[in-house]
Amino acid sequence: MSNKQTHTGHRGLVYEEALIFERGRDGACGVDLPEPEGVTPRLNGMARKGAIGLPGLSEPEVMRHFVRLSQKNYSIDAGFYPLGSCTMKHNPRLNEKMARLPGFADVHPLQPQSTVPGALELMSELGRWLMELTGMPAVAMSPKAGAHGELCGLMAIRAALEARGEADTRTRVLVPESAHGTNPATAAACGFSVDAIPATEDGRVDLAAFEAKLGEDVAGIMLTNPNTCGLFERDIRKIADAVHDAGGYFYCDGANFNAIVGRVKPGDLGVDAMHINLHKTFSTPHGGGGPGAGPVVLSDALAPFAPLPYVVKEGDKLRLIEDEAASDADPFGRMVAFHGQMGMFVRALSYMMSHGSDGLRQVAEDAVLNANYVLASLKDVMSASFEGPCMHEALFDDRFLKGTGVETLDFAKAMIDEGYHPMTVYFPLVVHGAMLIEPTETESKSTLDVFIGCMRELTRAAKAGETERFTNAPELTPRRRLDETAAARKPILRWTPPAPAQAAE
């Protein structure tokens, strides 16, 4: 890589982008509005005393600044994004077009129900699809994300225990080591103690250890299936039956539902509650902190405790039940202010209806096929953690890097120079130096072949002693490798202006 320095700091057409505060200048403004007349201040002593320090820029300067920032944001629309356990799949533009229809995009949560029959119909239809695909009799649409859905499921379980008079005695939730990382946090946030279940050497729940932990204080189990090792839990029926026999409930983390949708109905596996990440399985936009949606399907045992609001059908009309007094059930309360994320609902239903039941089944099959293609194509040079076949994710560990001086993090950083967002690293925790690759069903064989070729080349370079190629990476990005520990422990979250230059006396 060239170390040529430029006057501007740009590299080619990649602009050096200063903070917008650093770009601003006194006296510049993007708008020119007259001072308001005849306005009587009503803020008393709360009125602002001085300038608030907004950057001064013209409208074109503001536009260019944010467009350049957007170009630095690597996304699934820019390239292959093999982030394991996150399902970075293509978002069909048809979904976006449907979500932008004025009847959906402009709907307001405070509109009278009589003015939004179409929105209620869409929520009801999406819920019907989710219940059909999961084989579950009820659904709560309002949770805002996967972890929020987990909390909804655990709160429904706690409400059911309260109704049984066992909330004070059943206080322990079992969580396998191969579960999603949010599961223990959710159980703890809901007031339960967390009891970990070890994994077997083949990456699945240790059934004997699980059965040994059952007791009268167990509220339930939180199990991820397929699990975070990319494996299907073969003993899931035995686990469901055992926890039910012990008086507990079965929460299944549905984050990886995209690997089995159309193939297996969680209701047939004995699940009592499961959240569904619409972004992972039904291709709504992912990340950025939302807006998200994590509907939760519930069994007959937990359905009466589903949170408000929910849609019911009365004759040929739909009605949104928003008050506990209007409910025939025993809802545990309300988790959010309104009814859910309409934009995500529209996108998810659009995805479902455009694929159909056979198409959704093929989505799962293609996702699993692609992951196994990656696993089979790399297992002779990289160390596969488990023999396989895998589900929708291929998992490798760092044994193939032993003695090279290259670690998992270095390998991931070198991928950035090759034009790839790295896979998930160091997760799941049960695998040393883990590298979790999820290709998804939307990537073509030619895309995967180029990626596989890159991974094989990097592996060759590591074993050939080209250590600096890894430890110095990334070298082709606007910024080099960061001190991630310092960034996490000492984050700089507020811009402060530089000290004014002192005039010489």
Side-chain angles (χ1 to χ4, degrees), residues 105-181:
D106 298 339
V107 69
H108 193 282
L110 294 179
Q111 283 184 235
Q113 290 193 31
S114 60
T115 67
V116 290
L120 295 179
E121 180 72 28
L122 186 136
M123 291 172 65
S124 176
E125 183 66 7
L126 177 59
R128 187 183 70 80
W129 274 78
L130 294 175
M131 290 187 286
E132 175 62 29
L133 290 169
T134 58
M136 304 285 273
V139 61
M141 299 293 291
S142 64
K144 295 294 190 183
H148 203 211
E150 293 176 31
L151 185 64
C152 174
L154 268 286
M155 292 179 74
I157 289 174
R158 190 168 64 181
L161 293 174
E162 288 173 349
R164 288 163 44 179
E166 297 181 275
D168 294 332
T169 57
R170 291 189 178 271
T171 57
R172 191 161 51 99
V173 169
L174 307 179
V175 182
E177 290 179 344
S178 55
H180 262 170

Side-chain angles (χ1 to χ4, degrees), residues 80 82 369-382 394 396 411 415 420 437 439 444-460:
F80 182 37
L369 176 63
N370 278 359
N372 278 284
Y373 183 64
V374 171
L375 180 68
S377 300
L378 292 174
K379 63 191 304 184
D380 63 323
V381 294
M382 298 173 66
F396 299 92
F411 198 88
M415 290 175 63
Y420 289 110
I437 300 171
S444 66
K445 180 176 180 296
S446 59
T447 297
L448 296 184
D449 284 339
V450 175
F451 172 73
I452 289 166
C454 175
M455 298 293 280
R456 295 183 72 88
E457 161 57 19
L458 290 176
T459 301
R460 182 208 62 76

Side-chain angles (χ1 to χ4, degrees), residues 18 23 173 177 218 233-234 266 280 294 354 357 452 454 490:
R23 289 190 172 277
V173 169
E177 290 179 344
V218 169
E233 294 286 354
R234 292 188 294 257
K280 297 188 72 172
S354 60
S357 58
I452 289 166
C454 175
K490 300 177 181 178

Side-chain angles (χ1 to χ4, degrees), residues 39-49:
V39 176
T40 303
R42 293 179 294 175
L43 298 175
N44 298 320
M46 302 298 290
R48 177 167 56 82
K49 299 293 193 300

Side-chain angles (χ1 to χ4, degrees), residues 387-450:
E387 181 59 26
C390 62
M391 295 300 289
H392 61 303
E393 300 169 300
L395 180 59
F396 299 92
D397 53 47
D398 59 357
R399 285 175 295 162
F400 74 101
L401 295 175
K402 186 175 181 180
T404 65
V406 176
E407 298 182 353
T408 291
L409 182 64
D410 303 321
F411 198 88
K413 296 297 185 186
M415 290 175 63
I416 298 175
D417 281 339
E418 300 292 338
Y420 289 110
H421 189 289
M423 73 292 267
T424 294
V425 296
Y426 299 120
F427 185 81
L429 301 178
V430 293
V431 170
H432 192 275
M435 305 179 192
L436 187 61
I437 300 171
E438 182 172 359
T440 81
E441 76 283 356
T442 54
E443 299 298 344
S444 66
K445 180 176 180 296
S446 59
T447 297
L448 296 184
D449 284 339
V450 175

Side-chain angles (χ1 to χ4, degrees), residues 187-475:
C190 207
F192 295 104
S193 63
V194 178
D195 196 350
I197 306 172
T200 58
E201 290 187 357
D202 68 355
R204 295 176 172 84
V205 174
D206 186 323
L207 187 61
F210 158 70
E211 292 175 338
K213 288 179 177 291
L214 290 173
E216 294 182 352
D217 63 338
V218 169
I221 183 173
M222 297 185 77
L223 181 145
T224 303
N225 194 32
N227 66 28
T228 53
C229 295
L231 304 170
F232 191 84
E233 294 286 354
R234 292 188 294 257
D235 293 323
I236 189 168
R237 273 299 330 184
K238 294 179 181 176
I239 292 170
D241 291 342
V243 75
H244 288 155
D245 291 344
Y249 294 98
F250 182 9
Y251 186 90
C252 183
D253 186 307
N256 295 335
F257 187 47
N258 61 310
I260 59 174
V261 63
R263 299 277 301 180
V264 179
K265 293 188 175 183
D268 295 337
L269 302 177
V271 171
D272 288 306
M274 186 181 87
H275 76 266
I276 301 169
N277 299 86
L278 295 186
H279 62 273
K280 297 188 72 172
T281 303
F282 301 112
S283 195
T284 60
H286 182 294
V296 178
V297 289
L298 300 165
S299 66
D300 285 323
L302 297 183
F305 308 103
L308 298 166
Y310 56 86
V311 178
V312 297
K313 192 164 188 176
E314 296 178 341
D316 59 349
K317 293 185 178 179
L318 296 168
R319 186 162 73 96
L320 193 67
I321 303 297
E322 299 190 80
D323 300 313
E324 193 167 344
S327 173
D328 295 329
D330 190 16
F332 68 71
R334 177 186 282 266
M335 298 190 73
V336 294
F338 297 115
H339 322 130
Q341 200 355 284
M342 180 56 66
M344 297 301 109
F345 293 168
V346 176
R347 289 175 174 89
L349 185 60
S350 176
Y351 183 80
M352 293 172 174
M353 298 184 73
S354 60
H355 281 76
S357 58
D358 57 337
L360 292 176
R361 179 187 177 97
Q362 186 170 347
V363 163
E365 293 173 345
D366 288 352
V368 173
L369 176 63
N370 278 359
N372 278 284
Y373 183 64
V374 171
L375 180 68
S377 300
L378 292 174
K379 63 191 304 184
D380 63 323
V381 294
M382 298 173 66
S383 42
S385 303
F386 305 105
E387 181 59 26
C390 62
M391 295 300 289
H392 61 303
E393 300 169 300
L395 180 59
F396 299 92
D397 53 47
D398 59 357
R399 285 175 295 162
F400 74 101
L401 295 175
K402 186 175 181 180
T404 65
V406 176
E407 298 182 353
T408 291
L409 182 64
D410 303 321
F411 198 88
K413 296 297 185 186
M415 290 175 63
I416 298 175
D417 281 339
E418 300 292 338
Y420 289 110
H421 189 289
M423 73 292 267
T424 294
V425 296
Y426 299 120
F427 185 81
L429 301 178
V430 293
V431 170
H432 192 275
M435 305 179 192
L436 187 61
I437 300 171
E438 182 172 359
T440 81
E441 76 283 356
T442 54
E443 299 298 344
S444 66
K445 180 176 180 296
S446 59
T447 297
L448 296 184
D449 284 339
V450 175
F451 172 73
I452 289 166
C454 175
M455 298 293 280
R456 295 183 72 88
E457 161 57 19
L458 290 176
T459 301
R460 182 208 62 76
K463 293 181 177 177
E466 300 174 17
T467 310
E468 291 187 354
R469 180 172 175 180
F470 297 87
T471 55
N472 289 339
E475 297 184 271

